[in-house]
Amino acid sequence: MIEIPATPTFQHLLATTTTLIQELGCKKTTLQEIMKRSGLSKGAIYHYVKSKDELFGLLLVTKMQGIGQAFDEAVSRAKLGELDGPLGAITAGLLSQFVDRDHVVNNIFLYLLSQQDNPDVALLLRQIYDRSLATGAEWIRIGQKYEAIPVEIDAEAVSRQLLAWTYGQLVQRMIAPDTPVPNQADIQRLFGQILRAAM
């Protein structure tokens, strides 16, 4: 289970790492550079993570948590049976990644995929996948609880479909950056179709 420390020091570490990845890319973002830019010692960084790859993985998880927080806020404002607001929160979070080819999530995701021959990275990727799958399934179950999604839908199966589409979009944007980016309405419509097809 991946846990994100809530300390100000760790948040500073994440913010510094994000900035460096945006400036240098994942390969050139070293722990030495992170230490230099953040002012944190090697011991302070290793208190939280075992490696640069683990730090990158935690950054991915925090981005997913941000989408989750937006979803929770949208659910709290939604009327019973309303899907558009909560689904819009999810698709808005994903859209920023699809539009910006250099989004930190895209860079980290592809960097970690390129490092998956490392058993620690392979395990980290699996944990991120499992967490994403569980989060998607939980979002669907919340939609079912609030009568926005039919209860007959298998939350795990649909979450797998949506996650496969999302991962495919991330890879497609890196391979073919000139591919048209779906807009938020298109993504919402597609997700709605997937939910209806699962019934």
Side-chain angles (χ1 to χ4, degrees), residues 13-181:
L13 177 59
L14 289 176
T16 301
T17 303
T18 299
T19 300
L20 284 168
I21 291 170
Q22 289 168 333
E23 291 174 9
L24 306 173
C26 289
K27 276 190 172 179
K28 292 181 183 175
T29 299
T30 63
L31 282 177
Q32 191 68 29
E33 190 63 38
I34 294 168
M35 289 181 340
K36 178 179 163 187
R37 186 77 65 93
S38 69
L40 297 172
S41 68
K42 185 184 252 186
I45 293 172
Y46 281 118
H47 172 74
Y48 296 107
V49 295
K50 296 183 291 187
S51 67
K52 171 179 105 167
D53 296 336
E54 183 180 5
L55 178 58
F56 288 1
L58 292 176
L59 247 173
L60 280 182
V61 171
T62 62
K63 300 300 181 186
M64 185 173 58
Q65 285 178 332
I67 295 172
Q69 289 169 347
F71 172 79
D72 291 342
E73 290 170 14
V75 167
S76 71
R77 292 188 307 270
K79 296 176 186 150
L80 190 66
E82 180 189 341
L83 181 61
D84 288 343
L87 188 55
I90 294 168
T91 57
L94 293 174
L95 187 60
S96 66
Q97 298 167 29
F98 300 154
V99 170
D100 182 3
R101 183 175 185 265
D102 295 322
H103 193 285
V104 69
V105 168
N106 299 343
N107 286 317
I108 293 172
F109 180 71
L110 290 175
Y111 170 79
L112 290 175
L113 282 177
S114 75
Q115 305 297 313
Q116 68 180 337
D117 56 334
N118 175 332
D120 290 337
V121 174
L123 177 62
L124 179 64
L125 282 167
R126 182 57 198 232
Q127 290 171 336
I128 291 168
Y129 173 81
D130 289 344
R131 185 176 181 136
S132 299
L133 193 61
T135 299
E138 181 59 23
W139 290 342
I140 292 167
R141 282 191 285 277
I142 289 170
Q144 291 170 323
K145 177 182 172 186
Y146 288 95
E147 300 177 9
I149 298 173
V151 293
E152 303 83 36
I153 286 179
D154 181 338
E156 286 77 18
V158 172
S159 181
R160 271 192 301 278
Q161 290 176 338
L162 296 173
L163 192 55
W165 182 84
T166 302
Y167 282 178
Q169 284 294 309
L170 293 175
V171 172
Q172 179 179 323
R173 289 292 299 147
M174 298 309 283
I175 294 170
D178 55 340
T179 302
V181 177

